[in-house]
Amino acid sequence: MTRRRTAPVLAAVALVLSACSGEDGSFVAAPGPAQIDVDTPALREAKAEAGIEDCRPGDGAPVEGGLPELELACFGGGPAVDLATLRGPLVLNAWFATCAPCKRELPVLQDFYAQHGDRVDVLGVDFADPITEGAMELLVESGVTYPQVADTEGELGLDPVVRAVAFPTTVLVGADGAVEAVLPMEIRSVEQLEGLVAEHLGLVL
């Protein structure tokens, strides 16, 4: 079950300015959590037409220093995913629809997935994003096919390990489930991400 900490999460996200930073170093506020429905007929149809893969729940147990015990809905319908059950090598990327660096980064992540998805899992997290149709449209325009979940209450922003408050944020998870790196930055090329995976996960692609 998803942890219910709605009031603290709402307060914290409202107070935090997310470093959705562009090349000019500007900052914009992250979207605030709301009553967000990520499993509508329109979203399901768009997801299917775009060929976005269904979410794949894990089968591991929670580990110290790993992803939180947080069950997130699959964006556009499908099985929910408890993040704590996932194992790597995994690239987890938190984004939202109106974040400019996120828009630039999504095609890079898709290219990485197309080249290395057989060795490294990629999972997107649409973070506290009320613009669900816009978010799905962005995924379609970016050609994204790797699975997507939705953190509708912005709970990753309060997790002591991930602390997703700057966007985009990429989290690298090892084979044992431990979080090896939290990278609040825009990834600009497949080569850059390959280097980060080699550095933090010890996997040369």
Side-chain angles (χ1 to χ4, degrees), residues 59-205:
D59 57 8
V63 299
E64 184 176 356
L67 293 171
E69 295 181 66
L70 177 61
E71 186 174 86
L72 299 181
C74 194
F75 187 38
V81 176
D82 182 344
L83 296 184
T85 68
L86 300 178
R87 295 294 179 266
L90 169 67
V91 173
L92 182 145
N93 177 258
W95 62 281
F96 59 88
T98 57
C99 168
C102 303
K103 294 180 182 181
R104 295 192 297 264
E105 187 183 66
L106 285 172
V108 174
L109 293 171
Q110 175 58 31
D111 287 345
F112 177 89
Y113 184 65
Q115 295 179 39
H116 303 301
D118 59 336
R119 299 183 65 191
V120 182
D121 285 332
V122 180
L123 178 65
V125 182
D126 189 25
F127 181 85
D129 195 347
I131 312 173
T132 54
E133 292 187 2
M136 183 62 74
E137 182 178 349
L138 176 59
L139 292 174
V140 172
E141 291 175 350
S142 301
V144 168
T145 61
Y146 55 87
Q148 303 286 325
V149 293
D151 183 3
T152 59
E153 296 182 8
E155 294 195 77
L156 281 179
L158 290 183
D159 179 70
V161 174
V162 176
R163 292 292 294 174
V165 295
F167 296 89
T169 285
T170 296
V171 181
L172 302 182
V173 180
D176 60 356
V179 170
E180 299 296 343
V182 178
L183 308 168
M185 56 185 282
E186 178 186 351
I187 294 170
R188 298 175 182 271
S189 70
V190 170
E191 293 75 16
Q192 181 186 11
L193 185 50
E194 289 172 341
L196 291 166
V197 167
E199 177 184 356
H200 297 288
L201 299 183
L203 180 61
V204 178
L205 300 170

Side-chain angles (χ1 to χ4, degrees), residues 38-66:
V38 298
D39 187 6
T40 67
L43 292 174
R44 280 182 171 264
E45 181 179 1
K47 175 181 175 177
E49 290 181 355
I52 298 172
E53 297 175 19
D54 226 348
C55 298
R56 298 186 284 268
D59 57 8
V63 299
E64 184 176 356

